[in-house]
Each structure stands twice: as structure tokens, then as C-alpha cells.
């Protein structure tokens, strides 16, 4: 019997419904009056055409502060694609998320309708001093149609709805876009997605699901280490090197290169794609069988006896790997949504029927960045399993993987179904069938959540593919160098990656737990990446070449058991960054915030120097913006109430201790105060922000800082208990190293697990050497005053 899916109790109750349910407790804050869309009486879209229709939301619930409205329109005739203005946007700052590649989205800002990009997935309008709230415009799904936003003529904001099939047409729409307003931009997006969840009923919120256990593990991915040449001996040596260096992986991800594939011109019985070594050469290939290729199939366990089948193949390798390296709890493998880059090869024994379908790009996708994968897919077609048979493909593939000890899968190349949907009922219906089958298979074979979603940045996936999937990539690939050949790309592409992940999380984090992707610890910007991963709140994994590691850096991320000090939430841009351009305005520093159990954390990054170019339709270098930046940091940059389910209460906190990891300085600020910092290009600072509590009898001011040898030092603090009568503080710590706390007076003694321990007191910080207590244990430190 299949194991239950790991789904938490829903925060959206059955009484919180849209249209036809209980009436909303308050009238909509969004109204359409005399050709103007208004929010609390403030105009945000003007000259709204007469065929645009606004329908107030009837969603009611304790977690929704105000009611929004749905937007649709009537067209003159049924078509498979409509582009209709919903009004003019002028002189209001906005931030948006748009698809710069077929697979990936990023952040974009502007002030007018003409500033929007094609394939925009969401837009947030800035609030005004006169009282206009933040306003979210969220294109969604309606029946077999999917919506996006794009620039129109003369500052029009256009709705584009398309079915993906000339056989699927309509003329009337009522719920193509949802508009929501509020005073908090983070809560704004959360509330809107809850409304859409109740309206569509096709996905689950992240808060209703449990991410896979790999989010708490350090991982190693084989991609940049081997590319397609991955093999058992290399994987073994890679894991051994990390273990011997003191940073053992808890996750091993075997990326592309393990499957049985071939070109259409190859003999599938003699060719398995192993002559494919250069980038993109494998993309026209198709899957020929579910089982692994000969590199893994021919593995023979040195621990086995005789020729027993259990001693050979992927199953034997995975078993030996886990037995030899005890830190390895999870082994994942890569596969594409359609089986492989080119889908399945037709006519193969053991595989479901399929046919090669010629992809067709929509008008919006034709304006995305040129991409090798798209070029290969379009020119060679996809061996597509029809929707009624796709459950057979996932069951066959995943049941085999489960049988050989694989714990989960990275499902890649997700957003290509929209190119293939002409004869399958359109993009929405085809996606529904594929994601339903994938979800069922993951529930049966991988505990309901053993998936990393990748190349999935589009609202089709978010609204249809996240019923069970709870972890997904939120940025384009980590590029060691610029694939287009720009030597400066080694640097500016890293800033792009960071901005992708931070801003995409504002939207995607409501559906999937953000995964900021791998990086290499020996890259020139490795520290830059490591700092962002340390406070991202997601998994941390590298793709180091075998034997090439920066262990000094890795040990600031990884504990001796292969686990990490993960934040309690996921990182997001600070409010003062939301409507700015941290890539190519020459002035904005990217700032992200997150929460640990007892402290907040801020990350400041100088990402300026490259990004999207509207004219050339690609990312490129903008060297003139890459220079030293100055920015302000404040305790108020952290959204203390917008994070985890157990927010840190700062209601009566008068000041904060702010520990700067790079400069190793401690400063004190009131909530409204700021400190100025400066950063050179592609440099960073991490700041642990800790509320200061006063022990009343001796008036000792106290704040935990954490293990300062770790990048996310505050993540080590598991709990802080104050005993005012005894003038003591008990701190529970996970990990080992240099433990620091702020104390305005020197303690009379410190105890470690009940035994008195030596300490130093310098610059109002108590410093203790905390030993590694073991995987499942914490150190208990008592500070006695």
C-alpha cells in the first residue's frame, strides 16, 4: 500500500471559499468605477476598456485582511489566445516577476505599463504616502486557459490568456487575474495565493506540506563535477573526499548522465548516449529504458559474494554508498518531466507508447532569452507519452528507482508542456494530466515529497503541480562561467543568480520551499554564494569537482554529521529593496532577511554589474554599475511577524545587538536606528540581529549571538531561557565552535552541560569554546550573573 502523502492540516478551511460560499466579511478594497480601477479610493489603473469585468471576491477567512477582486473580459469572438488591456498604469512604481527564459523567471521594476516585460507572472504596485495600499495583480488559470501580463500600447497593462491549442477557444472570461490590496507586501502575496488556492483547488500551500528531509542536509551534486561522464567510482571518490575533509554530505544527487539514452540515429541496443560529452549534445536524446546505463548497471559490489543480482547494478552501488558513508541519508537522481530531454524513444519494449511531437513556442516565449535547450528541443521534438498513459511512465521509472534504493528525484525540464499541447486539450489540461500522474507516483514511491522541482518557473506549474511537491529551485542555474563567453560573467552572473532566488521566493515560496541551487566552493565568488545559501532557509549543496574543495569555507556551512544550521523561514528581500534594481541601477544593495529560532539575520550583497537587457533580450554585463556601494541596515529590515509560525516577539524590545560576521563587530541599535555599511562588488556582510533582554535584578543586558565560526551563527541557538530570580540565562546550542553572547556585565561563572567552564569576556561578549555534542544532542550553556 502506498505511504500517505506528507500533507499538513490546511490553513484554508472549507468555509473559506470563493464564489458561491459564505459571503465575505468585508467589501472588496478593489473597485472598478467609471473606467478606473481603484484601491481604497485611489486610482491605480485608468482608461479601463468597457469589456473588462471586475468580480469581487467572496473569499472569507481569518487569515485574509481584505477582499480583492477577479478580473476578466468579453471578446468579440472565441479564440485560443486573447490580448486585452485592463487599463493604463502610469507613474506608480512596481516590482514584477517575469520569464526571461522559457524555464526561469526574475525580478523587474518600472513605473509605467510600457515598462512591463512579456510573460509577467505577478506585479506588485508600491504604496503611496497619500494612502494607496500595496496592490498585487496576479494572473491565474481560468478553465483551460492560462493568463500572464505584458506591456501594451500607450502604457496599457495587457492580459494575455492562451490555451495552447487552436482547438480550445473561448470568448468570455471572468477570473483571469486576481487583484489584492494591503498594507504589508509580504502578507499581501500570501493572502492572494490563499484566495487563488480556494478558487482553483488545484494546489496546496507550502504551509500545508512538509519539505523533504534533504533541506536540513549538506549535499553534493555530480553535475559540475562530471557533467554526463558521471560514474560510480567518481561518485564514491567524491563522497569520500568530502567525508575525509570533515564536511560529509547527507545528500548525494546523481544528476544527468545515469540514464539509458540515445539519438534517433543510434542503435538503442548498442548505444547508451555515453559518447555524449559536450554541452547540449545529450538534449536531442531520448530515453530507451527505465534502468540505468551500463556505467551503473555494470557496477559490482566489492562487498558481495558470487554473481548474485543483488551485488550488481545501481541498487548495489546505492547500498554500498550508504553503508560506507553513514552521513548519506538520501540519494536522489535526475530525470526530465517527459523522461529525458527529448522524451521517450517510440517503439521501445518496456516503455509506454509515445510519439514525437514538434514543439511550438507561444508569442511570449519567442521573446525570451535564446537558450540552447529550447533550440535543441524545438529542432528535434519530444517523444511525448499521451496524457492518458503518462502514469505508466512515472510508475515504471519511479518503481525501479525505489527498488534500487533511490530516495527521491530532481524533476527537471518541467516547463515544456505548453509547447506540446496543440492536440492534447491545451496547456492546462495536458499539465493537469502530467502533474496528477507525477504526484501520484511521488506519493507511492518517494514518501509524497521526495522531489526537487527544476526549470519550473511559470504559473502553470505553481497552480497545477504543487499539490504534493514542496521543494523547488527558485533561480536559474549556477553558472561557473558565462556560457556566452563573457569572461566577466564569472562575476556578474553570480549577482544575477542571487537576485533571481531572492525575489522569486516572494512568489514561489507560497507554493514550494525555495532551493537556491548548488555552487562550487572553489569558485572566485564562492564566499558570496555560501553566505546567501547559509541564510536562504533552503538546502545547501555544492557541485565541487572531486578533490577540489575549500574546506575552510564548507566548514562554516556544514556540521560534522552532514547537517546544516538552517533558518526557520526562507530568505526574502527587505522592503526597501522590493521596488529597486539591485543589478543595474548602480546604487541598490541587495538586502535579504530571515529568521532563526531566537534571532533574525540580514544579508547584504553587492550584486551590481549585470542583468536583463530589454533591447538584446538577454542577460549581459553592465560593468559601469559594478562599484563600491553604501547601504543602511536596521533591525526593522527584518519582518519579525512575517516569518515562521513561531515569530520572534519584539513588542517590548528597546534595542538589538547586531553582530557582523565579516568584520566581527558588535553594534547596538534601537529598532528605528540604522548603521551604514559599504561593500565592494560581489562582497557581502551577514548580520545576526538579536533582541536584547534585561535581567531585572542586576540589570544585565543579554542577547545570544551564536557560533561565530558558522556563517549562520544565530542558527545554532535552539532556545534561550531567562531566570530573573537566579540572575541566569540558559542557552541551548547545536553545533560546536566559538560560542558568543552579548552581556553588559561579565558573568561570575559559565556552565557547559552542568560543569563549570572557562570563558573570556571581551568587548561585552562572552566567548566559550563549545565542543561538538553529537548529531542528536545540544550543548546546554548556563550564564550565571
Amino acid at each position: 500500500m502506498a505511504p500517505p502523502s506528507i500533507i499538513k492540516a490546511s490553513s484554508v478551511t472549507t468555509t473559506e471559499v470563493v464564489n458561491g460560499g459564505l459571503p465575505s466579511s468585508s467589501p472588496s478594497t478593489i473597485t472598478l468605477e467609471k473606467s478606473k480601477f481603484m484601491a481604497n479610493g485611489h486610482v491605480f489603473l485608468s482608461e479601463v476598456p468597457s469589456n473588462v469585468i471586475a468580480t469581487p471576491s467572496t473569499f472569507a477567512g481569518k487569515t485574509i485582511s481584505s477582499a480583492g477582486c477577479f478580473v476578466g473580459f468579453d471578446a468579440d469572438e472565441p479564440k485560443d489566445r486573447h490580448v486585452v488591456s485592463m487599463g493604463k498604469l502610469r507613474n506608480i512604481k512596481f516590482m514584477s516577476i517575469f520569464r526571461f527564459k522559457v524555464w526561469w523567471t526574475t525580478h523587474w521594476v518600472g513605473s509605467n505599463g510600457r515598462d512591463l516585460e512579456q510573460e509577467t507572472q505577478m506585479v506588485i504596485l508600491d504604496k503611496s504616502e497619500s494612502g494607496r495600499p500595496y496592490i498585487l495583480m496576479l494572473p491565474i488559470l481560468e478553465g483551460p486557459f492560462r493568463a500572464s501580463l505584458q506591456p501594451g500600447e500607450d502604457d496599457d497593462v495587457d492580459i494575455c490568456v492562451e490555451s495552447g491549442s487552436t482547438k480550445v477557444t473561448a470568448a468570455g472570461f471572468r477570473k483571469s487575474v486576481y487583484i489584492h490590496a494591503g498594507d504589508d507586501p509580504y502578507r499581501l502575496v500570501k493572502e492572494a495565493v490563499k484566495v487563488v488556492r480556494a478558487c482553483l483547488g488545484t494546489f496546496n500551500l507550502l504551509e500545508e506540506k512538509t519539505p523533504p528531509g534533504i533541506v536540513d542536509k549538506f549535499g553534493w551534486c555530480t553535475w559540475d563535477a562530471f557533467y554526463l561522464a558521471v560514474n560510480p567510482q567518481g561518485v564514491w571518490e567524491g563522497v569520500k573526499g568530502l567525508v575525509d575533509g570533515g564536511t560529509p554530505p547527507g545528500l548525494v544527487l546523481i544528476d544527468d548522465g545515469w540514464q539509458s539514452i540515445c539519438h534517433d540515429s543510434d542503435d538503442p541496443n548498442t548505444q547508451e548516449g555515453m559518447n555524449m560529452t559536450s554541452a547540449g549534445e545529450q538534449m536531442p536524446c531520448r530515453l530507451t529504458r527505465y534502468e540505468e546505463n551500463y556505467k551503473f548497471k555494470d557496477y559490482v559490489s566489492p562487498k558481495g559474494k558470487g554473481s548474485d543480482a543483488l551485488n550488481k547494478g545501481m541498487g548495489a552501488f546505492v547500498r554500498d554508498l550508504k553503508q560506507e558513508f553513514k552521513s548519506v541519508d538520501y540519494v536522489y537522481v535526475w530525470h526530465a518531466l517527459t523522461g529525458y530531454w527529448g522524451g521517450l524513444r517510440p517503439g521501445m519494449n518496456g516503455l509506454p507508447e509515445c510519439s514525437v511531437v514538434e514543439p511550438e513556442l507561444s508569442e511570449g516565449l519567442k521573446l525570451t532569452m535564446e537558450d540552447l535547450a529550447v533550440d535543441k528541443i524545438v529542432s528535434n521534438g519530444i517523444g511525448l507519452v499521451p496524457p492518458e498513459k503518462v502514469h505508466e511512465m512515472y510508475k515504471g521509472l519511479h518503481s525501479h528507482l525505489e527498488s534500487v534504493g533511490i530516495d527521491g528525484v530532481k524533476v527537471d525540464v518541467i516547463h515544456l508542456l505548453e509547447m506540446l499541447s496543440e492536440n492534447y486539450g491545451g496547456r492546462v489540461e495536458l499539465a493537469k494530466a502530467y502533474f496528477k500522474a507525477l504526484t501520484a507516483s511521488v506519493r507511492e514511491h518517494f514518501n509524497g515529497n521526495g522531489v526537487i522541482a527544476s526549470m519550473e518557473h511559470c504559473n502553470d506549474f505553481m497552480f497545477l503541480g504543487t499539490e504534493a511537491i514542496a521543494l523547488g529551485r527558485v533561480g536559474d542555474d549556477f553558472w561557473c562561467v558565462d556560457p556566452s563567453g563573457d569572461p566577466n560573467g564569472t562575476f556578474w552572473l553570480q549577482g544575477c543568480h542571487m537576485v533571481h532566488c531572492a525575489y522569486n521566493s516572494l512568489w514561489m515560496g507560497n507554493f514550494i520551499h525555495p532551493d537556491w541551487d548548488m555552487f562550487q566552493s572553489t569558485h572566485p565568488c564562492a564566499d558570496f554564494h555560501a553566505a546567501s545559501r547559509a541564510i536562504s532557509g533552503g538546502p545547501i549543496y555544492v557541485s565541487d569537482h572531486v578533490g577540489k574543495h575549500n574546506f575552510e569555507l564548507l566548514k562554516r556551512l556544514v556540521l560534522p554529521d552532514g547537517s546544516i544550521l538552517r533558518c526557520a523561514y526562507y530568505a526574502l528581500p527587505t522592503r526597501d529593496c522590493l521596488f529597486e534594481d539591485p543589478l543595474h541601477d548602480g546604487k541598490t544593495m541587495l538586502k535579504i532577511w530571515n529568521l532563526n529560532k531566537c534571532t533574525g539575520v540580514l544579508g547584504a550583497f553587492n550584486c551590481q554589474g549585470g542583468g536583463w537587457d530589454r533591447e538584446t533580450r538577454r542577460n549581459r554585463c553592465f560593468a559601469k554599475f559594478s562599484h563600491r556601494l553604501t547601504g543602511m541596515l536596521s533591525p526593522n529590515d527584518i519582518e519579525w511577524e512575517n516569518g515562521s509560525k513561531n515569530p520572534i516577539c519584539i513588542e517590548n524590545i528597546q534595542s538589538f545587538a547586531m553582530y557582523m560576521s565579516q568584520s566581527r563587530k558588535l553594534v547596538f541599535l534601537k529598532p528605528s536606528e540604522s548603521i551604514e555599511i559599504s561593500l565592494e562588488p560581489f562582497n557581502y556582510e551577514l548580520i545576526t540581529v538579536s533582541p536584547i533582554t534585561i535581567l531585572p535584578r542586576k540589570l544585565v543586558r543579554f542577547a545570544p549571538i551564536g557560533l561565530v565560526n558558522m556563517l549562520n551563527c544565530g542558527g545554532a541557538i535552539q532556545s534561550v531561557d531567562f531566570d530573573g530570580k537566579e540572575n541566569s540565562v540558559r542557552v541551548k546550542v547545536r553545533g560546536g565552535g566559538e560560542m558568543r553572547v552579548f552581556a553588559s556585565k561579565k558573568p561570575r561563572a559559565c556552565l557547559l552541560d552542568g560543569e563549570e567552564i572557562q570563558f573570556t569576556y571581551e568587548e561585552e561578549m562572552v566567548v566559550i569554546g563549545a565542543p561538538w555534542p553529537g548529531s542528536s544532542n545540544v550543548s546546554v550553556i548556563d550564564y550565571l550573573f
Side-chain angles (χ1 to χ4, degrees), residues 664 708 737-741 747 750 757-770 783:
R664 296 176 69 87
V708 298
E738 185 180 325
M739 173 64 190
R740 292 191 175 220
V741 301
C750 293
I757 187 174
Q758 290 186 341
F759 67 91
T760 58
Y761 185 68
E762 54 188 48
E763 299 178 339
E764 295 189 294
M765 286 184 282
V766 184
V767 183
I768 289 176
Y783 300 87

Side-chain angles (χ1 to χ4, degrees), residues 491-543:
F491 298 93
W492 64 259
L493 274 169
Q494 317 317 317
C496 289
H497 183 95
M498 214 157 291
V499 168
H500 298 334
C501 293
Y503 288 89
N504 283 335
S505 295
L506 181 62
W507 171 49
M508 297 179 192
N510 294 282
F511 306 89
I512 52 176
H513 195 91
D515 172 355
W516 285 45
D517 197 22
M518 55 200 168
F519 70 101
Q520 288 187 318
S521 69
T522 55
H523 189 273
C525 293
D527 287 57
F528 195 60
H529 278 286
S532 71
R533 303 310 192 278
I535 66 169
S536 72
I540 299 174
Y541 52 116
V542 295
S543 55

Side-chain angles (χ1 to χ4, degrees), residues 545-623:
H545 291 286
V546 175
K548 296 183 179 179
H549 312 286
N550 181 345
F551 285 115
E552 182 180 356
L553 177 62
L554 291 178
K555 287 179 180 179
R556 301 192 70 190
L557 294 168
V558 189
L559 296 179
D561 62 351
S563 64
I564 60 175
L565 298 177
R566 186 168 66 87
C567 289
Y569 195 55
Y570 53 87
L572 292 171
T574 58
R575 290 196 190 206
D576 57 348
C577 287
L578 288 178
F579 300 94
E580 305 301 329
D581 178 3
L583 285 178
H584 36 29
D585 71 0
K587 62 181 182 180
T588 301
M589 186 183 294
L590 173 67
K591 297 191 299 182
I592 59 178
W593 63 271
N594 209 335
L595 296 174
N596 290 305
K597 291 181 178 179
C598 303
T599 61
V601 61
L602 287 172
F605 301 86
N606 184 346
C607 299
Q608 295 280 342
W612 181 248
D613 184 342
R614 298 192 76 178
E615 301 303 319
T616 61
R617 311 303 299 171
R618 63 190 300 271
N619 286 329
R620 70 171 183 87
C621 180
F622 287 87

Side-chain angles (χ1 to χ4, degrees), residues 707-753:
L707 293 174
V708 298
N709 51 293
M710 306 297 288
L711 283 169
N712 181 25
C713 60
I717 307 297
Q718 303 301 294
S719 66
V720 182
D721 295 304
F722 294 88
D723 189 333
K725 293 183 179 179
E726 298 296 328
N727 295 304
S728 66
V729 183
R730 169 166 289 184
V731 180
K732 293 184 178 179
V733 181
R734 181 168 169 263
E738 185 180 325
M739 173 64 190
R740 292 191 175 220
V741 301
F742 158 68
S744 60
K745 296 181 180 180
K746 182 179 180 179
R748 58 180 175 84
C750 293
L751 308 180
L752 175 66
D753 296 328

Side-chain angles (χ1 to χ4, degrees), residues 99-105 341 371 373-374 377 413-416 419 454-458:
R99 291 168 80 183
F100 73 98
K101 288 185 180 179
V102 168
W103 328 104
W104 307 114
T105 59
W341 289 97
D371 184 272
V374 176
I377 286 169
V413 205
I414 285 179
H415 237 284
L416 51 65
M419 309 178 204
S454 183
M455 299 172 74
E456 83 287 15
H457 292 190
C458 188

